[in-house]
Amino acid sequence: MTVTISTGSAALPDPESDGFGPFAHLTVPNTPLYRGVMRVFLVAKERFAVHLRPEEVHATLPAAIRPAELEAVVAALDKLVGWGNLRADPDTARVTAVEDFYRKRFIYQLTREGEAAEAALSAYHEALGRRGALQAVALHDIVTQLRALLVLAAEDEPDPAKTHLALDTLANRFAALADNARAFMGSLQRTMDLHDVEEEVFLAYKDRLIQYLERFIQDLITLGGRIARLILELEEDGRAESLLRAAAGREAADASPEEAESAERAVYERWAARWAGLGAWFISRDGRESQARLLRGRALGAIPQLLAVVRALNERRSGRSDRSADFRTLARWFAEAADDDARHRLWRAAFGLYSARHLTVDADTLTARAARSVPAATPWAEAEPLRISPQLRRTGSYERRGKPRKVEDREERRRALAETAAKQAAETAAARARLVTDGVTRLSELGELDSASFGLFLQLLGDALATWRPGMRHTVATSNDGSMEIRLTALTDGTTAEIRTPGGVFSGPDHLVEIVDLTDGDEPMDGDPHR
């Protein structure tokens, strides 16, 4: 007797050939079962198991989605084979008789397409569940890499390998900082809106969230100005450009021969765009605020918003009325109104919206209305006619037609704007020179300040006080453009400082203060807050 044995799987459906077959199990009934089966194969692959039998898949499935019968799992496996997620091979290991060769026995394993589809789904779920973080550590890493680039820029011929590695690390840390900050602020807004967040959970962790925001704001103020100054130093004399070209040359060395001529230029443009993005993130230029300053404002604004949400939740719990409760009460009143007339009166009382009487009136019409008032419910046909201008009735417009206006010469205004800008720049430079102290001094010894100097002083003082925490005696802060640094030390003698300005007297606890102009190049890169 001759027995013919077929080792193929021709009885199974062929995978779809459109390239998206492995995703078909997401849009059909029993999707949870198909997803569970695919997770079983992914876990088995991590444990170096290549093939699985139907009974092994059935036993490994979670109880919540495990079918009662093994045949349901076999059907799901065959469907996944048809879509291209799995591959079926004849299971000849358990054949003990000739009759077993005629039975449908298969072992299954992941295909390359099925594994790629699961990786894509994992990335999709990870992106949806990502909350992000405000990475203060990334700020320190960016400072470290910028200092390394300064050392390389000081060399006559910077090492291309070291330059490329430093720039690549800097770009990766900056990209992670920006992406995580954007994701965190988005999740923070959803948290404040109480989307997908229970009230009990929100109230439980709001204190830790506020402390987290305050700590990041302190680091951003302290390190943001330092990063801005390092970027400006690297951009002096084209040092940053030379580093970018060195990194681009090294990266383009591996380009194919047909792309060799344009590869280095394309790579340099990409690196230049990254460097411009880094500068725009930390430095305010051309009248546009830096992203770091905007992020700082968003984070500072989030703290009172969080407190407002907490206050609203507490008021809701204590039974106090809020807007949603008021609208629900108003809706109940509308439902309980006796008739439409009562509902109209309730509408006018609640929202103050009344029927329109006329489009416009003149003085004579107002006098007539005052002498004999017309009820708001009077129909238009029964009311007094509205007097309108004959010109409006004839032409439909009050506009006077004539020659077009001459083009206005704005040269004088542009000159005035340029003079104003130059004057403001001079005032700012004078204010900076006025505020710079010769060593450590007291706030009370600053003397009288003009308006420009006092405004700049308030900005510096606000940056310093924003980093102040209970128990601190020293702090250091840098202005947003990296041009000035303030070092503030608390005093314990209880004295009061008074600073006279054209607008009045500014007073408060006296402190030791040192204000340094960082643009003169004489100061060290890092200020010591304890000296």
Side-chain angles (χ1 to χ4, degrees), residues 335-394:
E336 296 174 352
D339 50 26
D340 285 345
D341 291 338
R343 295 186 185 94
H344 283 302
R345 288 194 299 271
L346 178 59
W347 172 268
R348 288 193 293 268
F351 299 103
L353 299 177
Y354 301 89
S355 302
R357 294 184 178 180
H358 300 290
L359 296 177
T360 184
V361 295
D362 54 14
D364 295 337
T365 305
L366 289 176
T367 303
R369 295 299 184 191
R372 187 171 65 88
S373 62
V374 179
T378 303
W380 281 74
E382 300 177 6
E384 290 291 332
L386 180 65
R387 309 294 181 181
I388 63 175
S389 167
Q391 179 183 356
L392 176 62
R393 181 177 180 179
R394 183 176 61 257

Side-chain angles (χ1 to χ4, degrees), residues 42-121:
L42 287 177
V43 173
K45 182 178 181 296
E46 294 175 356
R47 298 174 180 174
F48 304 102
V50 179
H51 297 88
L52 290 178
R53 295 184 172 88
E55 54 268 25
E56 295 173 339
V57 177
H58 182 267
T60 312
L61 282 172
I65 61 175
R66 183 191 304 149
E69 301 295 334
L70 178 62
E71 287 73 12
V73 175
V74 175
L77 291 170
D78 291 342
K79 282 286 188 181
L80 289 169
V81 171
W83 290 320
N85 301 78
L86 301 177
R87 193 184 81 186
D89 297 312
D91 185 7
T92 59
R94 294 183 296 174
V95 174
T96 58
V98 174
E99 292 79 7
D100 292 337
F101 282 103
Y102 295 99
R103 297 177 182 174
K104 184 180 179 182
R105 295 178 182 271
F106 293 99
I107 54 177
Y108 301 86
Q109 73 176 78
L110 275 173
T111 62
R112 184 178 61 180
E113 293 81 1
E115 187 174 352
E118 290 302 310
L121 291 173

Side-chain angles (χ1 to χ4, degrees), residues 38 131 146 149 188 219 267 311 325-326 352 419 464 472:
M38 293 302 296
R131 297 187 62 86
L146 288 174
L149 290 173
L188 178 62
D219 290 333
V267 174
R311 183 168 57 253
D326 293 341
E419 294 176 355
M472 292 178 57

